[in-house]
Amino acid sequence: MTFSTRINSIRRRIMRAITKGVGSSYTEPKSGSLKPENIKSVLIIRPNHRLGNQLLLTPVVQEVIAQFPNCKIDLFVKGGVAYPVFENYKEINKIIQLPRKPFNELIKYAKVWISIKKSRYDMVINGDKNSSSGRLLTNLAKADFKIFGDVNEEIQQKYADYEHIAKYPVYNLRQFVEKLSGEKVKRPVPLLDLKLNAEELSKGKTVLDDIIKNNKKTICIYTNATGDKCYSEAWWETFYARLLKEFPEYNIIEMLPIENISKINFKAPNFYSKDIREMGAIIKNTSIFIAADNGVMHLASAALTPTVGFFSVTSEDMYRPYGNGSVSLNTNTTSIDDWIVEVKKILNLQ
């Protein structure tokens, strides 16, 4: 762990301790006071700039749309990645963007916070229970209905997957609505979804066809990740060689990161793009996507492509890809033979 990472970890712990009681004075409205058809404006707060965290917000956005079909949604986020992520969500009214480096733009940072105080919403949802600023903003915002995102032990005992960072905001919202309106929801939790359209998918296929130049199906790998989540060149080269041996009837291509590096030394056909939606569209035209836990893994999941996520230091329960036959694999407790078995299961289903 780097010095800056340790400092940020300490800072987050201190801020969580300071803001733990924020929202305790909020009086929850009485049962029967919430009429879903009357919810017209919703603010969802997740002040994080990382791609993965914005993609992990898509399930609760979909849930809000399903629960309150007459509503428009404002998103309070950090950085600009939310714009391409939610580009095809017509229900998004406004993206309120904090600067990524607030200390460099203190005046702009303060103005964005103040803008929340000036607005009025029917409902405010904190999308991250561990976000101190999310709690503060939820408390600051003007709304009759507020969901602070606290861990709910009752729901935690009911759902084995409650810890997942994309799912617990959905479960919290459902319980809140059920408690105040009496309406129960039994449908599955929404998947991560980039909502790629037909034109984007067609362009993605054109790009992929230009790379592979044949009619075989394609396995896509992504060999980069941040910090301790990143596996070594030797690890990836061993796995890549095994993929070539086990799946000769498939193309194997590599998506390159923004740094334009490859843990297999560019041995596979590869592609590179800075366009999040183009990346997703290309991935969608492949049969399976394989990566360590990172934002691009979540992008593949949001492209609705079967995804294999490798985990070694982060929590599978919090971040595993789900839906579309996706699986997570803890590389500390499984072997390369196990990984090949899981890849074969996914490909055989197709």
Side-chain angles (χ1 to χ4, degrees), residues 50 55 64 115 117 121 123 151 166 187 198 224 232 243 284 306 316 332 334:
R50 293 186 180 277
L55 291 164
V64 167
S115 71
K117 184 69 174 177
Y121 295 94
M123 179 177 287
V151 174
R187 60 179 174 267
N224 196 45
S232 68
L243 287 174
K284 177 58 179 173
E316 288 180 82
N332 299 316
T334 58

Side-chain angles (χ1 to χ4, degrees), residues 65-346:
I65 293 168
Q67 293 266 15
F68 314 119
N70 298 324
C71 83
K72 288 293 183 181
I73 301 169
D74 285 0
L75 298 179
F76 189 101
V77 298
K78 185 182 287 187
V81 74
Y83 289 96
V85 168
F86 292 98
E87 183 176 305
N88 287 347
Y89 281 77
K90 60 181 176 54
E91 297 84 1
I92 299 297
N93 174 58
K94 182 169 57 175
I95 293 176
I96 305 166
Q97 180 187 346
L98 276 176
R100 279 191 58 179
K101 297 181 178 180
F103 292 107
N104 295 342
E105 301 179 75
L106 285 174
I107 295 175
K108 182 178 179 181
Y109 190 86
K111 284 181 177 179
V112 175
W113 274 69
I114 292 169
S115 71
I116 295 300
K117 184 69 174 177
K118 291 181 178 179
S119 302
R120 178 82 195 181
Y121 295 94
D122 295 319
M123 179 177 287
V124 177
I125 300 169
N126 177 24
D128 182 359
K129 64 179 185 292
N130 293 317
S131 171
S132 301
S133 54
R135 293 187 67 85
L136 288 168
L137 283 159
T138 303
N139 195 54
L140 178 69
K142 295 176 181 177
D144 294 326
F145 303 103
K146 296 185 177 186
I147 301 176
F148 283 86
D150 297 311
V151 174
N152 186 295
E153 292 184 2
E154 180 184 341
I155 309 175
Q156 197 170 28
Q157 292 172 2
K158 188 176 180 181
Y159 298 102
D161 57 355
Y162 178 73
E163 190 177 345
H164 198 285
I165 200 165
K167 295 183 178 183
Y168 72 75
V170 175
Y171 288 133
N172 283 0
L173 172 60
R174 287 180 178 181
Q175 194 210 44
F176 186 88
V177 172
E178 180 181 337
K179 187 175 181 181
L180 297 186
S181 73
E183 295 193 14
K184 293 185 178 181
V185 176
K186 294 184 179 180
R187 60 179 174 267
V189 172
L191 304 179
L192 277 66
D193 195 350
L194 200 58
K195 290 191 179 295
L196 295 163
N197 61 35
E199 182 181 359
E200 289 172 319
L201 294 174
S202 177
K203 288 180 179 178
K205 185 178 187 305
T206 298
V207 174
L208 180 61
D209 288 346
D210 190 53
I211 298 167
I212 59 176
K213 295 180 172 62
N214 61 49
N215 294 322
K216 295 195 297 185
K217 293 183 178 180
T218 300
I219 295 170
C220 184
I221 62 174
Y222 182 82
T223 64
N224 196 45
T226 56
D228 295 340
K229 295 187 290 185
C230 191
Y231 293 91
S232 68
E233 287 189 4
W235 189 97
W236 272 109
E237 288 190 348
T238 299
F239 183 58
Y240 174 62
R242 184 68 181 271
L243 287 174
L244 288 173
K245 178 183 176 181
E246 297 283 350
F247 304 102
E249 70 278 23
Y250 283 82
N251 302 299
I252 301 175
I253 66 170
E254 181 181 12
M255 170 179 279
L256 300 177
I258 194 169
E259 298 86 357
N260 198 31
I261 57 176
S262 168
K263 293 293 182 180
I264 58 170
N265 293 307
F266 303 96
K267 291 177 181 176
N270 57 68
F271 68 96
Y272 168 85
S273 175
K274 291 184 179 179
D275 186 324
I276 289 168
R277 301 195 68 83
E278 181 182 54
M279 292 162 64
I282 297 168
I283 293 171
K284 177 58 179 173
N285 281 282
T286 65
S287 295
I288 189 171
F289 185 87
I290 304 172
D293 173 27
N294 61 73
V296 181
M297 178 196 77
H298 295 304
L299 179 65
S301 189
L304 306 181
T305 298
T307 302
V308 175
F310 289 122
F311 287 74
S312 60
V313 293
T314 47
S315 168
E316 288 180 82
D317 290 340
M318 290 181 67
Y319 297 109
R320 73 173 80 239
Y322 69 95
N324 309 301
S326 299
V327 296
S328 64
L329 295 167
N330 188 318
T331 56
N332 299 316
T333 57
T334 58
S335 69
I336 193 168
D337 291 332
D338 299 319
W339 314 336
I340 295 299
V341 166
E342 293 301 325
V343 172
K344 287 181 177 179
K345 283 181 183 177
I346 293 172

